[in-house]
Amino acid sequence: GGDVRKAQQPGTKLNLYQYTGPRGIRVMGVLDSASEERAISGGLLDGVHIVLGTPSHLERVARQLVFVPNRLKAVVVDEFDKCASQFPNSLKVLMAPGPYRVLVGASITSEQIQRAVLLNWL
């Protein structure tokens, strides 16, 4: 993520906080233990429209009912191919019935797609 034309490294937290997209849209990241703790106990996600994060951190936040996955409008999983193999239990929590789902990955296998269909993620 982020603007690759700038000197920052794409995907770093610095780019996330320099987001200059549509006005009035609040974007917040749950990318580490500190932001996870602030989300759980400090209202970090209050009034936020878009939440970015790793599956494991977002799962722990969801389990504390900071947000309820089936009330989301959309769930987008980038690097789904890697997330499916590294964070299968986290995805089970985050991919609750209800929201629109987009799964993205450079090397998603047909087995991963079949599993996603069986689990009603697609």
Side-chain angles (χ1 to χ4, degrees):
D3 186 348
V4 295
R5 294 172 293 172
K6 294 182 181 178
Q8 292 92 14
Q9 177 72 26
T12 66
K13 287 178 13 178
L14 182 59
N15 283 354
L16 171 67
Y17 298 112
Q18 292 181 346
Y19 173 76
T20 58
R23 300 212 184 259
I25 301 296
R26 291 197 56 222
V27 179
M28 188 56 59
V30 180
L31 303 167
D32 55 24
S33 297
S35 58
E36 176 187 323
E37 183 58 36
R38 286 194 321 272
I40 291 170
S41 64
L44 178 71
L45 302 181
D46 292 349
V48 171
H49 299 96
I50 299 171
V51 179
L52 305 171
T54 64
S56 58
H57 290 299
L58 290 176
E59 174 197 2
R60 288 190 289 273
V61 171
R63 287 191 183 277
Q64 295 296 318
L65 299 179
V66 174
F67 68 88
V68 180
N70 66 356
R71 292 187 179 167
L72 300 174
K73 291 183 180 178
V75 173
V76 178
V77 181
D78 191 14
E79 302 287 343
F80 176 75
D81 44 340
K82 292 181 182 177
C83 291
S85 61
Q86 295 176 0
F87 304 102
N89 294 328
S90 296
L91 287 180
K92 286 179 186 176
V93 171
L94 298 171
M95 299 295 280
Y100 180 77
R101 297 176 198 98
V102 178
L103 308 178
V104 181
S107 57
I108 297 175
T109 66
S110 60
E111 291 82 14
Q112 289 172 324
I113 294 297
Q114 290 171 353
R115 180 163 168 74
V117 170
L118 285 173
L119 292 170
N120 292 319
W121 295 351
L122 295 175

